[in-house]
Amino acid sequence: MKDQFAGQAIVVDNALGFWVHRVYQASRNEMFREFHDVGEDVTPEQWAVLIRLWEQDGRGQSELSEATFRDRPTMSRIVDGMEARGLLVRRKSPEDARVRTIHLTKKGRELEKKLVPIVKRIVERMVAGIDEHALETTRSTLRHMFENLDR
């Protein structure tokens, strides 16, 4: 931890945030490229919405914002774009007509069969040579760091 700093200077190559961001950016770029290669222009942000709706269809837009760590205006733009492409639709909630719920279309549901295997291969490449214990430690540590910052 102390090796991230040299006096008042930051040693970028040892900074945790730098590596978390770098892995995120590399995986994001790879995902977008591989989706594009199979004819799907699904952004990583849209991917996050899709996986949350595959988990539970019919979520409210606010719930999706929270589940994908996006602010409401950004989520609105993402949903607008996905709706324009026929991946999802907005419907009035049966419980509260003021609330719109987001539902996958057939096209949005079918993407799961096409895109999940691609992401699975990316993750397999990303974690190649890393033992399961190290991965669990990394996951646990990152969750703990997030919780520390989210308080």
Side-chain angles (χ1 to χ4, degrees):
M1 178 65 161
K2 295 175 183 171
D3 66 343
Q4 291 188 64
F5 301 96
Q8 293 300 316
I10 296 173
V11 181
V12 176
D13 285 337
N14 293 342
L16 293 173
F18 171 77
W19 284 104
V20 168
H21 178 73
R22 194 161 178 196
V23 169
Y24 165 76
Q25 200 62 45
S27 63
R28 182 183 193 287
N29 292 345
E30 189 67 10
M31 183 187 309
F32 186 72
R33 186 188 63 73
E34 291 206 24
F35 287 174
H36 183 75
D37 286 351
V38 296
E40 297 297 342
D41 287 325
V42 174
T43 67
E45 292 77 20
Q46 292 169 342
W47 167 255
V49 171
L50 286 170
I51 60 174
R52 290 303 190 176
L53 290 174
W54 292 329
E55 286 175 346
Q56 179 188 334
D57 201 18
R59 292 178 183 235
Q61 198 162 305
S62 295
E63 185 183 351
L64 274 176
S65 293
E66 198 171 297
T68 60
F69 306 104
R70 301 285 181 239
D71 61 45
R72 288 181 183 193
T74 300
M75 181 55 61
S76 185
R77 284 191 301 276
I78 293 168
V79 169
D80 286 346
M82 293 176 77
E83 188 171 36
R85 293 188 43 224
L87 300 176
L88 50 81
V89 294
R90 291 177 172 111
R91 295 185 189 141
K92 287 184 182 175
S93 169
E95 292 86 31
D96 185 346
R98 297 170 297 168
V99 174
R100 298 244 181 223
T101 54
I102 312 298
H103 299 266
L104 290 164
T105 61
K106 181 179 181 196
K107 184 177 177 181
R109 282 190 303 276
E110 287 173 350
L111 281 176
E112 185 174 13
K113 287 179 256 162
K114 188 174 187 178
L115 300 181
V116 169
I118 292 169
V119 172
K120 194 173 183 181
R121 284 192 307 271
I122 293 169
V123 171
E124 286 169 356
R125 279 186 21 230
M126 186 167 54
V127 301
I130 303 171
D131 70 49
E132 202 59 38
H133 178 72
L135 290 172
E136 186 52 45
T137 299
T138 301
R139 187 178 299 115
S140 174
T141 301
L142 289 170
R143 274 192 191 118
H144 194 128
M145 289 173 161
F146 178 80
E147 289 166 4
N148 287 344
L149 293 173
D150 197 42
R151 288 185 194 154

